[in-house]
Amino acid sequence: MIGLGLIGTGGMANHHATQYSKIEGVKIIACCDVSKERASAFAAKWQVPRIYNDYLEMLEKEKLDGVDNVTPDAMHADISIAAVEKGLPILCEKPLASNLADAERMLAAVDRHPVINMVNFSYRNSSGLQAAVEVVRSGALGQLRHVESSYLQSWLASRGWGDWRTGDNWLWRLSTKHGSMGVLGDIGVHIYDMTSFLCGDISEIQCTLRTFDKGVPGNRIGDYVLDANESFVSTVSFKNGGLGTIHASRWAVGHANSLRARVCGDQGAIEIDLDRSYDEYRICSGQDHVDHFKWETVKCPPTPTNYERFVNAIRTGKQDPSDFANGARIQAYLHYSVESDKTGQRVVVP
Ligand SMILES: NC(=O)c1ccc[n+]([C@@H]2O[C@H](COP(=O)([O-])OP(=O)(O)OC[C@H]3O[C@@H](n4cnc5c(N)ncnc54)[C@H](O)[C@@H]3O)[C@@H](O)[C@H]2O)c1
């Protein structure tokens, strides 16, 4: 049996628990939250036998096979490092950290204490994306030329997911003081990961971030100053020579949670649209298809979820590619996006 300790029993933790409940031989044996009420409600719902309010105490007292860090972004670094220093495999929510210095500390920790380390880039759960990555890496599209990818949400305009004005779970995402990097850190991180997973490393970024007037007096609600970015547009160059745009917004009315990537090489193109399907991609490849703008839809066989990958990695000792090193690279893209916005310049990613 794999016994996990889960830290941060808020919204996303319930999704993690649902996913673990589908995996044979896995159990959350302890959970921790600074909110006693949330921890107790989570433990009751998922039959977790032991509850803590201090993660250090949990790490000290429990015999765990792995730790799942589902706390807000600002707590990712210290909690994950504490688990790593105890020699425990760790799955950390995205973004790896709330700044590049913390991401580098986390990377240094797993270098010092080599344990299984993963970041939960959820859209890697798409078998369509996993298969599309294989197609791009096979060279079937030729040389990378042009990329367009986006992640669109609308919860600042829509009440479809609730009213952001009334919940801490929304408000921390709008406040830099509460550790949020805005839409860039929240969902930009996914689209940067998805795009670089498909197209390889990014070498240059020119980014514009935007925070709009939300009609809130003083632009604050209680302790939350609503200063985090809400839309961004980046123009990027890839190390292998392609050019692309990557953008995301919380103001994309009509879209709940839409991720899309279009990748064009000089011999073919591939498209992922997760609104349409998680287990398909579309491809235009081969001279006849290229000449006649013909696309085919390819249905892809299932691939393991991130939760299954984490458990498999614990069982086999074999590291998954969605590791802290990749998480820190994506964090660098976020960092240099902010730098570019500040200076108005294109920034070279070291
Ligand atoms: N991979 C995805 O698609 C995805 C989706 C949503 C959220 N997330 C990420 O998951 C994380 C949590 O998001 P959420 O929506 O569940 O937030 P949330 O605010 O609903 O829950 C976070 C929980 O962590 C607890 N917490 C805070 N500090 C703590 C500490 N020091 N020790 C223990 N518990 C602590 C809070 O009390 C809260 O219950 C964030 O990093 C977020 O970016 C990822």
Side-chain angles (χ1 to χ4, degrees), residues 10-12 33 38 70-71 73 76 93-94 120 122 172-173:
M12 190 58 183
D33 201 295
R38 269 197 292 272
V70 204
T71 55
D73 307 358
H76 288 183
E93 260 305 343
K94 51 50 55 174
N120 190 29
S122 310
W172 74 259
R173 291 178 160 81

Side-chain angles (χ1 to χ4, degrees), residues 73-74 98-99 170-185 209 211 219 223-230 250 338:
D73 307 358
S98 51
N99 58 63
W170 297 112
L171 290 170
W172 74 259
R173 291 178 160 81
L174 298 170
S175 166
T176 56
K177 201 179 89 182
H178 290 79
S180 174
M181 282 188 83
V183 75
L184 182 70
L209 301 169
T211 310
N219 201 34
D223 198 25
Y224 296 95
V225 177
L226 310 180
D227 59 347
N229 61 81
E230 297 155 4
R250 293 167 169 166
V338 173

Side-chain angles (χ1 to χ4, degrees), residues 93-303:
E93 260 305 343
K94 51 50 55 174
L96 181 59
S98 51
N99 58 63
L100 185 55
D102 276 357
E104 286 170 349
R105 277 201 301 131
M106 295 168 84
L107 193 53
V110 293
D111 281 346
R112 275 196 315 275
H113 307 273
V115 292
I116 295 298
N117 54 96
M118 280 184 69
V119 184
N120 190 29
F121 288 118
S122 310
Y123 301 97
R124 291 185 179 227
N125 293 328
S126 156
S127 60
L129 174 62
Q130 294 285 346
V133 167
E134 294 302 317
V135 172
V136 177
R137 290 184 186 168
S138 75
L141 308 184
Q143 292 291 316
L144 185 71
R145 291 288 191 248
H146 192 80
V147 178
E148 185 230 320
S149 57
S150 58
Y151 191 159
L152 305 178
Q153 296 184 338
S154 59
W155 55 266
L156 286 174
S158 159
R159 275 167 288 181
W161 287 353
D163 187 344
W164 58 265
R165 294 163 194 83
T166 59
D168 291 345
N169 55 329
W170 297 112
L171 290 170
W172 74 259
R173 291 178 160 81
L174 298 170
S175 166
T176 56
K177 201 179 89 182
H178 290 79
S180 174
M181 282 188 83
V183 75
L184 182 70
D186 189 17
I187 63 172
V189 70
H190 282 299
I191 198 66
Y192 266 123
D193 179 62
M194 182 164 151
T195 311
S196 58
F197 191 30
L198 278 162
C199 305
D201 290 348
I202 291 169
S203 55
E204 290 181 347
I205 298 178
Q206 170 115 40
C207 176
T208 303
L209 301 169
R210 201 50 62 79
T211 310
F212 294 93
D213 178 6
K214 289 177 285 301
V216 173
N219 201 34
R220 70 184 300 154
I221 296 179
D223 198 25
Y224 296 95
V225 177
L226 310 180
D227 59 347
N229 61 81
E230 297 155 4
S231 275
F232 81 89
V233 179
S234 291
T235 306
V236 303
S237 301
F238 295 91
K239 277 201 176 137
N240 57 25
L243 180 68
T245 59
I246 302 178
H247 62 104
S249 183
R250 293 167 169 166
W251 288 103
V253 166
H255 295 270
N257 197 49
S258 306
L259 284 98
R260 189 174 77 173
R262 291 166 158 171
V263 177
C264 304
D266 59 358
Q267 293 166 31
I270 201 159
E271 185 181 304
I272 293 285
D273 180 348
L274 297 186
D275 257 3
R276 204 180 50 226
S277 169
Y278 265 59
D279 60 6
E280 287 174 2
Y281 62 77
R282 290 176 74 232
I283 186 161
C284 171
S285 160
Q287 200 59 51
D288 180 59
H289 280 57
V290 172
D291 290 344
H292 297 95
F293 322 109
K294 277 202 301 202
W295 290 80
E296 278 169 27
T297 300
V298 178
K299 190 99 182 153
C300 307
T303 47

Side-chain angles (χ1 to χ4, degrees), residues 100 103-104 205 327-337 349-350:
L100 185 55
E104 286 170 349
I205 298 178
R329 198 161 34 245
I330 305 300
Q331 195 83 41
Y333 301 154
L334 305 185
H335 177 84
Y336 291 108
S337 298
V349 179

Side-chain angles (χ1 to χ4, degrees), residues 21-61:
S21 72
K22 296 178 188 167
I23 309 173
E24 190 88 18
V26 174
K27 187 155 173 43
I28 301 171
I29 57 171
C31 67
C32 170
D33 201 295
V34 286
S35 154
K36 287 191 172 135
E37 297 73 35
R38 269 197 292 272
S40 303
F42 181 87
K45 182 169 176 190
W46 298 101
Q47 289 100 48
V48 179
R50 286 175 298 282
I51 303 172
Y52 294 84
N53 302 118
D54 175 348
Y55 67 89
L56 290 173
E57 189 188 343
M58 183 181 96
L59 295 179
E60 198 54 50
K61 290 192 175 158

